Amino acid sequence: MKVTISDIAKAANVAKSTVSKVLNDSPKISQETKHKVREIMKQMNYTPSSIATGLARQSSCNIGLLVDMSKESEFLNQFFYNIIGGIESVIAPLKYELTISNVQHSSPEGHFLNRLVFSKRVDGIIAN
């Protein structure tokens, strides 16, 4: 069973909002409390939910790369992997992740927009 922010708060004997502030390194929380809560997180193998974090920050920290898989010769070209590596070298230090999405011409226009952008699964897209 996944450890939640509520589990951490209960174990640390603090409010859920305090745990949230520790996660965001709020200056309003004492170093002693931050240390205590972080130790409990480590002991309980707590991993923040990327979905919850994204909702709170209104950001997915994800960039979408749109690829037309019907153009197999382009997709299998070694240069394509250099492009992916280049993109990741720029976005990784910014704590963004890359999502590659297949966008074939036979798909209904805008389908990927609904799935990725409007549903806020990505903060931006790269298309060729």
Side-chain angles (χ1 to χ4, degrees):
M1 187 173 190
K2 184 166 172 44
V3 177
T4 66
I5 197 169
S6 297
D7 298 327
I8 300 298
K10 186 175 179 181
N13 199 26
V14 297
K16 288 192 308 185
S17 60
T18 301
V19 176
S20 177
K21 289 175 184 173
V22 169
L23 287 169
N24 292 305
D25 200 26
S26 171
K28 296 179 180 181
I29 304 299
S30 72
Q31 290 302 321
E32 182 181 328
T33 300
K34 287 180 183 180
H35 179 73
K36 175 183 167 184
V37 170
R38 287 177 180 148
E39 281 300 313
I40 291 171
M41 288 178 183
K42 188 186 296 185
Q43 291 168 6
M44 297 178 78
N45 294 319
Y46 174 73
T47 303
S49 165
S50 60
I51 294 170
T53 302
L55 285 172
R57 294 185 180 160
Q58 295 188 355
S59 171
S60 68
C61 291
N62 212 330
I63 301 294
L65 174 62
L66 306 181
V67 178
D68 185 350
M69 299 286 239
S70 68
K71 298 178 181 177
E72 189 174 312
S73 62
E74 292 178 17
F75 180 72
L76 295 177
N77 186 326
Q78 179 63 37
F79 184 66
F80 176 74
Y81 297 97
N82 292 338
I83 292 172
I84 291 173
I87 293 168
E88 288 190 327
S89 72
V90 172
I91 67 173
L94 302 172
K95 298 191 179 184
Y96 273 78
E97 294 182 11
L98 183 65
T99 296
I100 299 174
S101 183
N102 180 11
V103 182
Q104 292 185 345
H105 292 294
S106 60
S107 300
E109 188 175 335
H111 174 70
F112 67 89
L113 287 175
N114 289 332
R115 193 165 39 93
L116 298 173
V117 179
F118 298 141
S119 66
K120 297 189 179 189
R121 288 186 56 205
V122 296
D123 293 328
I125 57 173
I126 300 171
N128 65 357

